[in-house]
Amino acid sequence: MQRFFGAATSRVGVRRIFGYPGDGINGIMGALGRAEKNSHAIEFIQARHEEMAAFMACGHAKFTGEVGVCLATSGPGAIHLLNGLYDAKLDHAPVVAIVGQQSRQAMGGSYQQEVDLVTLFKDVANEYVQMATHPAQIRHLVDRAMRIAKAERTVTCIIIPNDLQEAKAVKEPEHLHGTIHSGVGHAKSRMIPVDHELRRAADILNEGKKIGILIGAGAMHASAEVTQIAEILGAGVAKALLGKAALSDELPFVTGSIGLLGTKPSWDMMMHCDTLLMIGSSFPYSEFLPKEGQAKCVQIDIDQRMLSLRYPADVCLVGDSAETLRLLLPLLQRKEDRAWRKTIEKNITEWWKVLEARAMNDAKPLNPQRVFWELSPQLPDNCILCSDSGSAANWFARDLKIRPGMKASLSGTLATMGPGVPYAIAAKFAFPHNVVIALVGDGAMQMNGNNGLITISKYWKEWADPRLIILVLNNGDLNQVTWEQRVMNGDPKYMPSQQLPEFSYAQYAEMLGLKAIRLESPDAVAGAWSEALSADRPVVIDAHTDPEVPPLPPHITFQQARHFMSSILHGDPGRGGAIRQSFKDAVESYLPH
Protein backbone atom coordinates (compact mmCIF):
# COMPACT_ATOMS: atom_id res chain seq x y z
CA MET A 1 0.00 0.00 0.00
CA GLN A 2 2.76 2.45 0.87
CA ARG A 3 4.25 2.05 -2.61
CA PHE A 4 0.94 3.00 -4.22
CA PHE A 5 0.32 6.12 -2.20
CA GLY A 6 3.91 7.35 -2.47
CA ALA A 7 4.23 6.83 -6.22
CA ALA A 8 0.75 8.10 -7.01
CA THR A 9 1.40 11.39 -5.27
CA SER A 10 4.94 12.11 -6.36
CA ARG A 11 4.88 10.86 -9.95
CA VAL A 12 1.27 10.50 -11.12
CA GLY A 13 -0.06 13.59 -9.41
CA VAL A 14 -2.87 12.22 -7.23
CA ARG A 15 -3.43 14.85 -4.57
CA ARG A 16 -6.56 13.58 -2.87
CA ILE A 17 -8.87 10.60 -2.62
CA PHE A 18 -12.63 10.90 -2.08
CA GLY A 19 -14.17 8.11 -0.09
CA TYR A 20 -15.83 6.62 2.95
CA PRO A 21 -14.27 4.12 5.38
CA GLY A 22 -15.31 0.56 6.11
CA ASP A 23 -13.75 -2.61 7.46
CA GLY A 24 -13.13 -3.88 3.95
CA ILE A 25 -10.51 -1.15 3.43
CA ASN A 26 -9.03 -0.80 6.92
CA GLY A 27 -5.58 -1.73 5.62
CA ILE A 28 -5.70 1.00 2.99
CA MET A 29 -6.88 3.53 5.58
CA GLY A 30 -3.98 2.56 7.78
CA ALA A 31 -1.57 3.15 4.92
CA LEU A 32 -3.13 6.56 4.28
CA GLY A 33 -2.64 7.42 7.93
CA ARG A 34 1.01 6.40 7.86
CA ALA A 35 1.59 8.29 4.61
CA GLU A 36 0.46 11.52 6.29
CA LYS A 37 3.77 11.58 8.11
CA ASN A 38 5.95 11.74 5.00
CA SER A 39 6.27 13.70 1.81
CA HIS A 40 3.95 11.33 -0.07
CA ALA A 41 0.85 12.38 1.83
CA ILE A 42 -2.47 12.12 0.01
CA GLU A 43 -5.42 14.11 1.32
CA PHE A 44 -8.39 11.91 2.16
CA ILE A 45 -11.75 13.69 1.74
CA GLN A 46 -14.53 12.01 3.67
CA ALA A 47 -17.79 12.10 1.71
CA ARG A 48 -21.14 11.41 3.33
CA HIS A 49 -21.89 8.56 0.95
CA GLU A 50 -19.86 6.53 -1.54
CA GLU A 51 -22.00 7.74 -4.45
CA MET A 52 -20.98 11.29 -3.58
CA ALA A 53 -17.33 10.23 -3.40
CA ALA A 54 -17.58 8.92 -6.97
CA PHE A 55 -19.28 12.14 -8.10
CA MET A 56 -16.48 14.13 -6.45
CA ALA A 57 -13.85 12.07 -8.27
CA CYS A 58 -15.71 12.66 -11.53
CA GLY A 59 -15.99 16.40 -10.85
CA HIS A 60 -12.29 16.57 -9.99
CA ALA A 61 -11.43 14.86 -13.28
CA LYS A 62 -13.71 17.14 -15.31
CA PHE A 63 -12.43 20.40 -13.84
CA THR A 64 -8.72 19.54 -13.61
CA GLY A 65 -8.10 17.05 -16.42
CA GLU A 66 -6.38 14.83 -13.85
CA VAL A 67 -7.41 11.33 -12.81
CA GLY A 68 -9.98 11.41 -10.02
CA VAL A 69 -9.70 8.70 -7.37
CA CYS A 70 -12.44 7.33 -5.12
CA LEU A 71 -12.27 4.70 -2.41
CA ALA A 72 -14.95 2.43 -0.92
CA THR A 73 -15.24 -0.66 1.18
CA SER A 74 -16.36 -4.06 -0.08
CA GLY A 75 -19.91 -5.10 -0.92
CA PRO A 76 -22.32 -2.27 -0.08
CA GLY A 77 -19.77 0.54 -0.32
CA ALA A 78 -18.55 -0.66 -3.69
CA ILE A 79 -22.11 -0.89 -4.99
CA HIS A 80 -22.79 2.69 -3.89
CA LEU A 81 -20.03 3.97 -6.17
CA LEU A 82 -21.70 2.86 -9.37
CA ASN A 83 -23.87 5.87 -10.26
CA GLY A 84 -21.01 8.33 -9.94
CA LEU A 85 -18.69 6.01 -11.85
CA TYR A 86 -21.16 5.69 -14.72
CA ASP A 87 -21.40 9.47 -14.78
CA ALA A 88 -17.63 9.57 -15.25
CA LYS A 89 -17.55 6.83 -17.86
CA LEU A 90 -20.29 8.29 -20.04
CA ASP A 91 -18.77 11.79 -19.93
CA HIS A 92 -15.24 10.46 -20.61
CA ALA A 93 -13.80 11.60 -17.27
CA PRO A 94 -10.77 9.59 -16.05
CA VAL A 95 -11.49 8.02 -12.66
CA VAL A 96 -9.87 5.17 -10.72
CA ALA A 97 -12.05 3.35 -8.18
CA ILE A 98 -10.31 1.40 -5.40
CA VAL A 99 -12.54 -0.99 -3.51
CA GLY A 100 -12.07 -3.57 -0.78
CA GLN A 101 -13.11 -7.21 -0.82
CA GLN A 102 -13.49 -9.98 1.71
CA SER A 103 -10.54 -12.14 2.70
CA ARG A 104 -9.21 -14.33 -0.10
CA GLN A 105 -9.74 -17.52 1.87
CA ALA A 106 -13.41 -16.66 2.48
CA MET A 107 -14.24 -15.87 -1.13
CA GLY A 108 -16.64 -18.24 -2.78
CA GLY A 109 -18.15 -19.11 0.59
CA SER A 110 -21.15 -16.71 0.55
CA TYR A 111 -19.41 -14.68 3.24
CA GLN A 112 -20.87 -11.51 4.74
CA GLN A 113 -20.66 -8.55 2.29
CA GLU A 114 -19.09 -10.77 -0.34
CA VAL A 115 -20.10 -9.60 -3.82
CA ASP A 116 -18.66 -10.65 -7.16
CA LEU A 117 -17.02 -7.27 -7.65
CA VAL A 118 -15.15 -8.14 -10.83
CA THR A 119 -18.47 -8.93 -12.50
CA LEU A 120 -20.17 -5.94 -10.87
CA PHE A 121 -17.62 -3.46 -12.24
CA LYS A 122 -17.06 -5.20 -15.58
CA ASP A 123 -19.32 -2.82 -17.48
CA VAL A 124 -18.54 0.52 -15.87
CA ALA A 125 -14.79 -0.24 -15.75
CA ASN A 126 -14.70 -2.41 -18.86
CA GLU A 127 -11.31 -1.08 -19.99
CA TYR A 128 -9.62 -2.32 -16.81
CA VAL A 129 -10.95 -4.03 -13.68
CA GLN A 130 -8.68 -6.38 -11.75
CA MET A 131 -8.62 -8.01 -8.33
CA ALA A 132 -5.26 -8.32 -6.58
CA THR A 133 -4.31 -11.76 -5.27
CA HIS A 134 -0.64 -11.16 -4.39
CA PRO A 135 1.19 -8.14 -2.88
CA ALA A 136 3.54 -7.97 -5.86
CA GLN A 137 0.57 -7.22 -8.13
CA ILE A 138 -0.27 -3.90 -6.46
CA ARG A 139 2.46 -2.03 -8.27
CA HIS A 140 1.39 -2.87 -11.80
CA LEU A 141 -2.35 -2.83 -11.04
CA VAL A 142 -2.10 0.76 -9.84
CA ASP A 143 0.22 1.82 -12.63
CA ARG A 144 -2.03 0.36 -15.31
CA ALA A 145 -5.28 1.57 -13.76
CA MET A 146 -3.97 5.12 -13.67
CA ARG A 147 -2.49 5.01 -17.16
CA ILE A 148 -5.54 3.42 -18.80
CA ALA A 149 -7.97 5.79 -17.07
CA LYS A 150 -5.99 8.75 -18.38
CA ALA A 151 -5.31 7.39 -21.86
CA GLU A 152 -8.85 6.17 -22.53
CA ARG A 153 -10.60 8.91 -20.52
CA THR A 154 -12.57 6.26 -18.68
CA VAL A 155 -13.15 4.45 -15.39
CA THR A 156 -10.84 1.73 -14.12
CA CYS A 157 -11.13 -0.31 -10.94
CA ILE A 158 -8.78 -2.13 -8.55
CA ILE A 159 -10.21 -4.62 -6.05
CA ILE A 160 -8.04 -5.44 -3.02
CA PRO A 161 -9.06 -8.18 -0.54
CA ASN A 162 -8.76 -7.03 3.07
CA ASP A 163 -6.23 -9.69 4.10
CA LEU A 164 -3.98 -8.70 1.20
CA GLN A 165 -4.05 -5.10 2.45
CA GLU A 166 -2.38 -6.27 5.66
CA ALA A 167 0.41 -8.12 3.84
CA LYS A 168 3.90 -6.69 3.61
CA ALA A 169 4.23 -4.38 0.62
CA VAL A 170 6.41 -5.49 -2.28
CA LYS A 171 8.26 -2.41 -3.42
CA GLU A 172 10.12 -4.19 -6.20
CA PRO A 173 9.00 -7.63 -7.49
CA GLU A 174 11.63 -10.33 -7.85
CA HIS A 175 13.16 -10.49 -11.29
CA LEU A 176 11.70 -13.88 -12.22
CA HIS A 177 9.69 -15.43 -15.01
CA GLY A 178 6.03 -14.45 -14.60
CA THR A 179 6.67 -11.23 -12.70
CA ILE A 180 5.71 -7.74 -13.86
CA HIS A 181 7.96 -4.68 -13.57
CA SER A 182 5.83 -1.68 -14.37
CA GLY A 183 6.36 2.07 -14.16
CA VAL A 184 4.14 5.07 -13.54
CA GLY A 185 3.25 7.94 -15.82
CA HIS A 186 1.16 8.78 -18.85
CA ALA A 187 2.76 9.62 -22.18
CA LYS A 188 1.01 12.32 -24.18
CA SER A 189 0.81 11.87 -27.94
CA ARG A 190 -0.09 14.03 -30.88
CA MET A 191 -3.12 12.72 -32.75
CA ILE A 192 -3.84 14.33 -36.12
CA PRO A 193 -5.67 13.27 -39.31
CA VAL A 194 -3.89 12.37 -42.52
CA ASP A 195 -3.34 15.17 -45.06
CA HIS A 196 -5.73 14.01 -47.77
CA GLU A 197 -8.63 13.80 -45.28
CA LEU A 198 -7.86 17.33 -44.13
CA ARG A 199 -8.00 18.54 -47.72
CA ARG A 200 -11.32 16.76 -48.32
CA ALA A 201 -12.73 18.41 -45.20
CA ALA A 202 -11.46 21.82 -46.31
CA ASP A 203 -13.09 21.38 -49.73
CA ILE A 204 -16.49 20.76 -48.12
CA LEU A 205 -16.15 23.71 -45.75
CA ASN A 206 -14.98 26.00 -48.55
CA GLU A 207 -17.92 25.02 -50.75
CA GLY A 208 -20.51 25.59 -48.00
CA LYS A 209 -22.56 28.79 -47.99
CA LYS A 210 -24.34 28.45 -44.64
CA ILE A 211 -22.09 26.76 -42.12
CA GLY A 212 -23.11 25.74 -38.61
CA ILE A 213 -20.60 24.54 -36.02
CA LEU A 214 -21.43 22.32 -33.05
CA ILE A 215 -18.87 21.93 -30.27
CA GLY A 216 -18.78 19.75 -27.17
CA ALA A 217 -16.46 18.89 -24.31
CA GLY A 218 -13.81 17.79 -26.80
CA ALA A 219 -13.37 21.43 -27.82
CA MET A 220 -12.74 22.71 -24.29
CA HIS A 221 -9.07 23.36 -25.04
CA ALA A 222 -9.68 24.66 -28.56
CA SER A 223 -11.46 27.97 -27.94
CA ALA A 224 -9.01 30.05 -29.96
CA GLU A 225 -9.05 27.65 -32.91
CA VAL A 226 -12.86 27.39 -32.96
CA THR A 227 -13.10 31.19 -32.91
CA GLN A 228 -10.69 31.49 -35.87
CA ILE A 229 -12.54 28.84 -37.85
CA ALA A 230 -15.91 30.49 -37.20
CA GLU A 231 -14.55 33.88 -38.30
CA ILE A 232 -13.09 32.55 -41.56
CA LEU A 233 -16.17 30.51 -42.44
CA GLY A 234 -18.71 33.13 -41.33
CA ALA A 235 -20.29 30.43 -39.18
CA GLY A 236 -22.28 30.35 -35.99
CA VAL A 237 -21.32 28.08 -33.10
CA ALA A 238 -23.77 26.06 -31.01
CA LYS A 239 -22.67 24.31 -27.84
CA ALA A 240 -23.65 20.94 -26.39
CA LEU A 241 -24.09 21.18 -22.63
CA LEU A 242 -20.70 19.70 -21.76
CA GLY A 243 -19.11 22.26 -24.05
CA LYS A 244 -20.80 25.28 -22.47
CA ALA A 245 -17.51 26.64 -21.11
CA ALA A 246 -15.60 25.95 -24.34
CA LEU A 247 -16.51 29.30 -25.87
CA SER A 248 -17.58 32.65 -24.44
CA ASP A 249 -21.25 33.56 -24.76
CA GLU A 250 -20.18 37.16 -25.25
CA LEU A 251 -18.99 36.32 -28.78
CA PRO A 252 -21.64 37.56 -31.24
CA PHE A 253 -21.70 34.34 -33.28
CA VAL A 254 -22.20 31.92 -30.34
CA THR A 255 -25.79 30.69 -30.50
CA GLY A 256 -25.66 29.03 -27.08
CA SER A 257 -26.86 25.59 -26.09
CA ILE A 258 -28.54 23.10 -28.38
CA GLY A 259 -31.32 20.59 -27.75
CA LEU A 260 -34.37 20.56 -25.50
CA LEU A 261 -32.47 22.87 -23.14
CA GLY A 262 -31.14 24.89 -26.03
CA THR A 263 -31.82 28.18 -27.78
CA LYS A 264 -33.86 29.22 -30.78
CA PRO A 265 -30.79 30.61 -32.63
CA SER A 266 -29.15 27.18 -32.34
CA TRP A 267 -32.32 25.54 -33.65
CA ASP A 268 -32.64 28.00 -36.54
CA MET A 269 -28.98 27.57 -37.49
CA MET A 270 -29.23 23.79 -37.58
CA MET A 271 -32.49 23.81 -39.53
CA HIS A 272 -31.12 26.10 -42.27
CA CYS A 273 -27.39 25.33 -42.58
CA ASP A 274 -26.03 23.57 -45.64
CA THR A 275 -22.79 22.46 -43.95
CA LEU A 276 -22.22 21.12 -40.45
CA LEU A 277 -18.87 21.03 -38.64
CA MET A 278 -19.01 18.92 -35.46
CA ILE A 279 -16.08 19.27 -33.06
CA GLY A 280 -15.61 17.01 -30.03
CA SER A 281 -19.29 16.36 -29.41
CA SER A 282 -21.49 13.27 -29.12
CA PHE A 283 -24.69 15.32 -28.75
CA PRO A 284 -27.37 12.60 -28.96
CA TYR A 285 -30.62 14.27 -30.10
CA SER A 286 -30.80 13.94 -33.88
CA GLU A 287 -34.02 15.96 -34.15
CA PHE A 288 -32.01 19.09 -33.30
CA LEU A 289 -29.46 18.45 -36.04
CA PRO A 290 -30.04 19.07 -39.76
CA LYS A 291 -32.24 16.56 -41.51
CA GLU A 292 -30.24 13.79 -43.12
CA GLY A 293 -29.16 14.91 -46.58
CA GLN A 294 -29.73 18.60 -45.84
CA ALA A 295 -26.12 19.38 -44.94
CA LYS A 296 -22.67 18.15 -45.81
CA CYS A 297 -20.88 17.18 -42.59
CA VAL A 298 -17.30 17.23 -41.33
CA GLN A 299 -16.75 15.72 -37.89
CA ILE A 300 -13.67 15.90 -35.67
CA ASP A 301 -13.26 13.57 -32.71
CA ILE A 302 -10.36 11.97 -30.91
CA ASP A 303 -12.37 8.74 -30.50
CA GLN A 304 -12.99 7.01 -33.81
CA ARG A 305 -15.88 5.07 -32.27
CA MET A 306 -17.89 8.30 -31.97
CA LEU A 307 -17.49 9.39 -35.58
CA SER A 308 -20.47 9.46 -37.98
CA LEU A 309 -22.68 8.25 -35.14
CA ARG A 310 -25.14 11.14 -34.63
CA TYR A 311 -25.14 12.47 -38.18
CA PRO A 312 -23.75 10.79 -41.33
CA ALA A 313 -20.42 12.56 -41.86
CA ASP A 314 -18.95 13.07 -45.31
CA VAL A 315 -15.46 13.40 -43.83
CA CYS A 316 -14.37 12.03 -40.45
CA LEU A 317 -11.22 13.51 -38.95
CA VAL A 318 -9.68 11.47 -36.15
CA GLY A 319 -7.60 13.76 -34.00
CA ASP A 320 -7.28 16.23 -31.19
CA SER A 321 -9.65 19.13 -31.87
CA ALA A 322 -7.17 21.97 -31.40
CA GLU A 323 -4.43 20.28 -33.39
CA THR A 324 -6.81 19.33 -36.20
CA LEU A 325 -8.31 22.82 -36.47
CA ARG A 326 -4.84 24.36 -36.60
CA LEU A 327 -4.03 22.14 -39.57
CA LEU A 328 -7.35 22.98 -41.24
CA LEU A 329 -6.99 26.75 -40.92
CA PRO A 330 -4.45 27.32 -43.75
CA LEU A 331 -6.63 25.29 -46.12
CA LEU A 332 -9.78 27.37 -45.60
CA GLN A 333 -10.98 30.33 -47.66
CA ARG A 334 -12.59 33.32 -45.97
CA LYS A 335 -16.28 33.73 -46.80
CA GLU A 336 -16.74 37.17 -48.32
CA ASP A 337 -20.53 36.94 -48.26
CA ARG A 338 -21.40 37.50 -44.58
CA ALA A 339 -25.20 37.45 -44.94
CA TRP A 340 -25.48 34.08 -43.17
CA ARG A 341 -23.32 35.30 -40.27
CA LYS A 342 -25.31 38.54 -39.99
CA THR A 343 -28.55 36.57 -39.78
CA ILE A 344 -27.11 34.41 -37.00
CA GLU A 345 -25.88 37.44 -35.05
CA LYS A 346 -29.25 39.18 -35.44
CA ASN A 347 -31.04 36.06 -34.16
CA ILE A 348 -28.72 35.89 -31.15
CA THR A 349 -29.26 39.55 -30.26
CA GLU A 350 -33.02 39.08 -30.40
CA TRP A 351 -32.82 35.87 -28.38
CA TRP A 352 -31.06 37.53 -25.44
CA LYS A 353 -33.90 40.08 -25.42
CA VAL A 354 -36.41 37.23 -25.31
CA LEU A 355 -34.62 35.58 -22.38
CA GLU A 356 -34.48 38.84 -20.46
CA ALA A 357 -38.19 39.44 -21.05
CA ARG A 358 -39.07 35.92 -19.92
CA ALA A 359 -36.92 36.33 -16.82
CA MET A 360 -38.74 39.53 -15.87
CA ASN A 361 -42.19 37.98 -16.11
CA ASP A 362 -44.07 37.80 -12.82
CA ALA A 363 -44.41 34.42 -11.15
CA LYS A 364 -45.61 33.06 -7.81
CA PRO A 365 -43.59 33.73 -5.78
CA LEU A 366 -40.45 33.94 -7.92
CA ASN A 367 -39.51 33.31 -11.54
CA PRO A 368 -36.57 30.85 -11.61
CA GLN A 369 -35.33 32.38 -14.86
CA ARG A 370 -34.81 35.69 -13.09
CA VAL A 371 -32.64 34.06 -10.43
CA PHE A 372 -30.23 32.90 -13.16
CA TRP A 373 -30.53 36.04 -15.28
CA GLU A 374 -29.56 38.28 -12.35
CA LEU A 375 -26.64 36.01 -11.48
CA SER A 376 -25.12 36.16 -14.97
CA PRO A 377 -23.67 39.72 -14.89
CA GLN A 378 -22.40 39.15 -11.34
CA LEU A 379 -20.46 35.95 -12.12
CA PRO A 380 -16.90 36.44 -10.82
CA ASP A 381 -13.96 35.96 -13.17
CA ASN A 382 -12.69 32.37 -13.25
CA CYS A 383 -15.66 31.06 -11.28
CA ILE A 384 -16.73 27.41 -11.54
CA LEU A 385 -20.38 26.51 -12.19
CA CYS A 386 -21.87 23.12 -11.35
CA SER A 387 -25.43 22.41 -12.40
CA ASP A 388 -27.54 19.49 -11.33
CA SER A 389 -29.98 17.69 -13.61
CA GLY A 390 -33.55 18.93 -13.67
CA SER A 391 -35.12 22.28 -14.48
CA ALA A 392 -32.02 24.03 -13.05
CA ALA A 393 -30.11 22.70 -16.06
CA ASN A 394 -32.49 24.56 -18.40
CA TRP A 395 -31.74 27.95 -16.90
CA PHE A 396 -28.03 27.10 -16.53
CA ALA A 397 -27.91 26.25 -20.22
CA ARG A 398 -29.76 29.34 -21.43
CA ASP A 399 -29.54 32.27 -19.03
CA LEU A 400 -25.92 32.25 -17.87
CA LYS A 401 -23.34 33.94 -20.09
CA ILE A 402 -20.02 32.14 -19.84
CA ARG A 403 -16.87 34.27 -20.11
CA PRO A 404 -13.28 33.19 -20.82
CA GLY A 405 -11.60 31.54 -17.83
CA MET A 406 -14.80 30.13 -16.34
CA LYS A 407 -15.43 26.42 -15.91
CA ALA A 408 -18.84 24.74 -16.03
CA SER A 409 -20.14 21.19 -16.03
CA LEU A 410 -22.97 18.87 -15.13
CA SER A 411 -23.89 15.23 -15.69
CA GLY A 412 -24.14 15.23 -19.47
CA THR A 413 -24.72 11.79 -20.94
CA LEU A 414 -26.08 10.04 -17.86
CA ALA A 415 -28.01 13.17 -16.81
CA THR A 416 -28.32 11.77 -13.32
CA MET A 417 -29.65 13.70 -10.37
CA GLY A 418 -27.33 14.41 -7.46
CA PRO A 419 -23.87 15.47 -8.71
CA GLY A 420 -24.27 19.27 -8.44
CA VAL A 421 -23.11 19.70 -4.84
CA PRO A 422 -20.43 16.92 -4.96
CA TYR A 423 -19.00 18.47 -8.14
CA ALA A 424 -18.86 21.83 -6.37
CA ILE A 425 -17.04 20.37 -3.37
CA ALA A 426 -14.47 18.68 -5.61
CA ALA A 427 -14.02 21.92 -7.56
CA LYS A 428 -13.42 23.83 -4.35
CA PHE A 429 -10.71 21.43 -3.21
CA ALA A 430 -9.04 21.58 -6.63
CA PHE A 431 -9.32 25.36 -6.93
CA PRO A 432 -9.58 26.75 -3.38
CA HIS A 433 -9.02 30.35 -4.57
CA ASN A 434 -11.94 30.31 -7.03
CA VAL A 435 -15.61 31.04 -6.39
CA VAL A 436 -17.72 27.91 -6.96
CA ILE A 437 -21.48 28.00 -7.53
CA ALA A 438 -23.78 24.96 -7.52
CA LEU A 439 -27.21 25.30 -9.17
CA VAL A 440 -29.50 22.64 -7.77
CA GLY A 441 -33.19 21.78 -7.70
CA ASP A 442 -34.87 20.79 -4.47
CA GLY A 443 -35.21 17.18 -5.64
CA ALA A 444 -31.46 16.81 -6.11
CA MET A 445 -30.90 18.74 -2.90
CA GLN A 446 -32.97 16.28 -0.91
CA MET A 447 -31.33 13.38 -2.71
CA ASN A 448 -27.65 14.29 -2.17
CA GLY A 449 -27.21 18.01 -1.66
CA ASN A 450 -28.26 18.26 1.98
CA ASN A 451 -25.68 15.66 2.96
CA GLY A 452 -23.15 17.55 0.86
CA LEU A 453 -23.73 20.60 3.07
CA ILE A 454 -22.45 18.56 6.01
CA THR A 455 -19.23 17.89 4.08
CA ILE A 456 -18.96 21.60 3.26
CA SER A 457 -19.40 22.51 6.93
CA LYS A 458 -16.60 20.08 7.81
CA TYR A 459 -14.00 21.42 5.36
CA TRP A 460 -14.77 25.01 4.33
CA LYS A 461 -12.35 26.68 6.72
CA GLU A 462 -9.47 24.95 4.89
CA TRP A 463 -10.20 26.80 1.61
CA ALA A 464 -8.25 29.96 0.75
CA ASP A 465 -11.46 31.62 -0.49
CA PRO A 466 -14.45 30.28 1.45
CA ARG A 467 -17.04 31.31 -1.13
CA LEU A 468 -19.02 28.29 -2.26
CA ILE A 469 -22.64 29.16 -3.10
CA ILE A 470 -25.44 26.61 -3.35
CA LEU A 471 -28.56 27.88 -5.11
CA VAL A 472 -31.60 25.72 -4.34
CA LEU A 473 -34.68 26.09 -6.55
CA ASN A 474 -37.26 25.38 -3.86
CA ASN A 475 -40.52 24.76 -5.72
CA GLY A 476 -41.75 21.58 -4.00
CA ASP A 477 -41.83 19.76 -7.31
CA LEU A 478 -39.71 17.35 -9.33
CA ASN A 479 -40.14 19.99 -11.96
CA GLN A 480 -38.35 18.68 -15.05
CA VAL A 481 -40.21 15.37 -14.90
CA THR A 482 -43.52 17.15 -14.25
CA TRP A 483 -43.12 19.12 -17.47
CA GLU A 484 -41.93 16.04 -19.35
CA GLN A 485 -45.09 14.22 -18.22
CA ARG A 486 -47.16 17.10 -19.57
CA VAL A 487 -45.38 17.77 -22.84
CA MET A 488 -43.96 14.37 -23.82
CA ASN A 489 -46.73 12.09 -22.58
CA GLY A 490 -49.82 14.31 -22.31
CA ASP A 491 -50.34 13.31 -18.68
CA PRO A 492 -51.27 15.69 -15.88
CA LYS A 493 -48.90 16.19 -12.98
CA TYR A 494 -49.00 13.08 -10.79
CA MET A 495 -48.87 14.46 -7.27
CA PRO A 496 -47.81 11.27 -5.39
CA SER A 497 -44.62 11.05 -7.45
CA GLN A 498 -43.94 14.73 -8.12
CA GLN A 499 -44.68 16.65 -4.93
CA LEU A 500 -41.72 16.96 -2.55
CA PRO A 501 -41.91 17.33 1.23
CA GLU A 502 -41.36 20.84 2.55
CA PHE A 503 -37.88 21.54 3.83
CA SER A 504 -36.15 24.73 4.91
CA TYR A 505 -32.75 24.66 3.23
CA ALA A 506 -31.96 28.04 4.76
CA GLN A 507 -32.56 26.89 8.33
CA TYR A 508 -30.62 23.70 7.73
CA ALA A 509 -27.64 25.65 6.39
CA GLU A 510 -27.67 27.98 9.38
CA MET A 511 -27.77 25.00 11.72
CA LEU A 512 -24.53 23.79 10.08
CA GLY A 513 -22.84 27.15 10.57
CA LEU A 514 -23.20 28.27 6.96
CA LYS A 515 -24.75 31.50 5.74
CA ALA A 516 -28.33 31.30 4.47
CA ILE A 517 -30.43 33.61 2.33
CA ARG A 518 -34.15 33.01 1.97
CA LEU A 519 -35.27 34.46 -1.35
CA GLU A 520 -38.91 35.08 -2.30
CA SER A 521 -39.11 38.54 -3.89
CA PRO A 522 -37.97 39.32 -7.46
CA ASP A 523 -36.71 42.71 -6.32
CA ALA A 524 -34.35 40.98 -3.88
CA VAL A 525 -32.69 38.64 -6.39
CA ALA A 526 -29.78 40.84 -7.49
CA GLY A 527 -29.06 41.85 -3.89
CA ALA A 528 -29.11 38.24 -2.74
CA TRP A 529 -26.42 37.31 -5.26
CA SER A 530 -24.34 40.32 -4.27
CA GLU A 531 -24.64 39.37 -0.60
CA ALA A 532 -23.72 35.73 -1.27
CA LEU A 533 -20.71 36.69 -3.39
CA SER A 534 -19.34 38.92 -0.64
CA ALA A 535 -19.86 36.42 2.20
CA ASP A 536 -17.09 35.13 4.46
CA ARG A 537 -18.30 31.52 4.34
CA PRO A 538 -20.30 29.14 2.12
CA VAL A 539 -23.86 30.27 1.38
CA VAL A 540 -27.14 28.53 0.65
CA ILE A 541 -29.67 30.60 -1.29
CA ASP A 542 -33.09 29.09 -0.62
CA ALA A 543 -35.01 30.49 -3.61
CA HIS A 544 -38.75 29.87 -3.51
CA THR A 545 -39.58 29.58 -7.19
CA ASP A 546 -42.71 28.95 -9.22
CA PRO A 547 -42.95 25.37 -10.53
CA GLU A 548 -45.33 26.42 -13.29
CA VAL A 549 -42.73 28.43 -15.25
CA PRO A 550 -42.26 26.23 -18.32
CA PRO A 551 -38.83 25.13 -19.55
CA LEU A 552 -39.91 25.76 -23.14
CA PRO A 553 -37.94 23.93 -25.83
CA PRO A 554 -36.53 26.14 -28.62
CA HIS A 555 -39.12 24.79 -31.04
CA ILE A 556 -42.54 23.54 -29.95
CA THR A 557 -43.90 20.77 -32.14
CA PHE A 558 -47.59 20.21 -32.78
CA GLN A 559 -47.35 16.93 -30.87
CA GLN A 560 -45.86 18.66 -27.81
CA ALA A 561 -48.57 21.32 -27.86
CA ARG A 562 -51.25 18.66 -28.17
CA HIS A 563 -49.81 16.69 -25.26
CA PHE A 564 -49.68 19.82 -23.09
CA MET A 565 -53.33 20.59 -23.78
CA SER A 566 -54.20 16.96 -23.05
CA SER A 567 -52.56 17.22 -19.62
CA ILE A 568 -54.56 20.38 -18.92
CA LEU A 569 -57.85 18.84 -20.04
CA HIS A 570 -57.19 15.80 -17.85
CA GLY A 571 -57.17 17.96 -14.72
CA ASP A 572 -53.53 18.89 -14.10
CA PRO A 573 -53.46 20.32 -10.55
CA GLY A 574 -51.27 23.22 -11.70
CA ARG A 575 -53.21 23.94 -14.89
CA GLY A 576 -54.04 27.57 -14.07
CA GLY A 577 -50.44 28.57 -13.40
CA ALA A 578 -49.05 26.39 -16.18
CA ILE A 579 -51.31 27.99 -18.79
CA ARG A 580 -50.64 31.49 -17.50
CA GLN A 581 -46.85 31.17 -17.38
CA SER A 582 -46.64 29.28 -20.69
CA PHE A 583 -48.64 32.00 -22.40
CA LYS A 584 -46.43 34.74 -20.93
CA ASP A 585 -43.21 33.08 -22.07
CA ALA A 586 -44.63 32.22 -25.49
CA VAL A 587 -45.63 35.85 -26.04
CA GLU A 588 -42.11 36.99 -25.15
CA SER A 589 -40.76 34.81 -27.95
CA TYR A 590 -42.48 37.12 -30.46
CA LEU A 591 -42.89 40.40 -28.60
CA PRO A 592 -40.15 40.68 -25.99
CA HIS A 593 -41.01 43.18 -23.25
Side-chain angles (χ1 to χ4, degrees), residues 223 245-248 380-384 402-408 434:
S223 302
L247 212 56
S248 170
D381 290 340
N382 303 313
C383 69
I384 302 171
I402 289 289
R403 302 194 305 274
M406 295 180 180
K407 300 178 187 292
N434 296 52

Side-chain angles (χ1 to χ4, degrees), residues 30 37-38 230 277 561:
K37 301 170 185 176
N38 59 44
L277 173 58

Side-chain angles (χ1 to χ4, degrees), residues 352 355-362 366-380 385 395-396 398-401 403 406 437 439 469 471 473 519 521-533 541 543 593:
W352 285 115
L355 288 183
E356 181 182 20
R358 287 181 181 178
M360 296 305 160
N361 277 334
D362 292 334
L366 187 61
N367 188 335
Q369 295 168 104
R370 181 159 185 174
V371 181
F372 285 72
W373 184 263
E374 298 278 12
L375 166 62
S376 194
Q378 296 193 54
L379 287 172
L385 299 165
W395 321 129
F396 159 80
R398 293 178 184 162
D399 290 278
L400 296 183
K401 288 187 177 181
R403 302 194 305 274
M406 295 180 180
I437 303 172
L439 310 159
I469 303 169
L471 168 68
L473 298 180
L519 183 57
S521 167
D523 295 333
V525 174
W529 281 117
S530 179
E531 183 182 352
L533 288 165
I541 299 179
H593 300 289

Side-chain angles (χ1 to χ4, degrees), residues 165-180:
Q165 297 168 30
E166 300 294 338
K168 187 176 180 180
V170 177
K171 184 178 179 180
E172 196 173 291
E174 290 186 77
H175 204 81
L176 299 172
H177 180 71
T179 60
I180 301 290

